[in-house]
Amino acid sequence: MDAFLECEKKFTSILNKYDVKEIVTTCASCEKTLKSYSSVKDLNLKVRNIYEYIRENNADLSLKKNQKVTFHKPCNINNFDDIERILKNTKNLEYVEMNEYDKCCGLNGISKLSEYKIMFNIFWKKYKNIRKTGAKLF
């Protein structure tokens, strides 16, 4: 059995065992993969990302102390409007849009291994753009 189908089979077993009705993910790639599973459609399972969840529940967010942040838009994310709303409306959060925030970061899947020099140069450019914002690095 192919690895994808085996993974989906195990996933479906867990969903059924625990009677899962909804999954909220923080990873755009995970969301995309989960939505591709036929079991998600068959079980009428709701899969969404944390940004949609926050919007749909009208959650007001705040930080305990002031923070300056920037954001890289992942390739697989489709609802940047939800993310931007959070970044601009969270109390005590100063959002600084970095130059080329929506360009490749060079850290995707297998490419960073098979095309290391190319991907490192892309990543290094992204890193410099992040540093220019003055956002704190964790």
Side-chain angles (χ1 to χ4, degrees):
M1 182 179 283
D2 119 329
F4 181 84
L5 292 175
E6 183 64 27
C7 185
E8 183 175 5
K9 183 178 174 185
K10 288 179 183 179
F11 176 70
T12 303
S13 172
I14 293 168
L15 294 175
N16 287 325
K17 180 177 180 180
Y18 295 102
D19 195 31
V20 175
K21 302 291 183 212
E22 177 178 22
I23 295 176
V24 177
T25 179
T26 59
C27 171
S29 295
C30 293
E31 177 189 12
K32 183 177 181 180
T33 299
L34 291 173
K35 285 181 174 179
S36 73
Y37 287 165
S38 60
S39 57
V40 166
K41 296 170 188 115
D42 294 344
L43 296 170
N44 207 19
L45 182 71
K46 187 171 187 174
V47 176
R48 57 194 167 150
N49 61 52
I50 189 69
Y51 314 111
E52 291 170 306
Y53 181 84
I54 291 169
R55 175 183 39 84
E56 290 171 5
N57 289 284
N58 294 317
D60 287 325
L61 304 174
S62 66
L63 300 174
K64 290 182 181 180
K65 59 181 185 172
N66 292 338
Q67 292 287 326
K68 181 189 282 191
V69 301
T70 192
F71 186 82
H72 161 70
K73 180 182 176 277
C75 299
N76 288 330
I77 205 81
N78 293 322
N79 58 333
F80 187 68
D81 292 345
D82 289 338
I83 298 166
E84 197 168 39
R85 181 187 158 275
I86 292 166
L87 291 169
K88 291 182 177 178
N89 294 309
T90 298
K91 293 177 184 130
N92 296 325
L93 182 79
E94 178 188 350
Y95 168 56
V96 180
E97 187 176 287
M98 82 169 92
N99 187 34
E100 298 183 334
Y101 74 94
D102 57 348
K103 300 288 186 204
C104 181
C105 68
L107 296 174
N108 75 319
I110 197 73
S111 296
K112 67 180 169 258
L113 300 175
S114 63
E115 301 293 338
Y116 178 77
K117 286 183 180 182
I118 294 169
M119 300 312 275
F120 180 81
N121 288 333
I122 293 170
F123 164 75
W124 193 247
K125 185 176 181 180
K126 178 65 74 168
Y127 174 78
K128 289 193 275 186
N129 285 337
I130 292 168
R131 295 294 296 184
K132 287 177 190 174
T133 67
K136 182 178 177 181
L137 299 178
F138 295 95

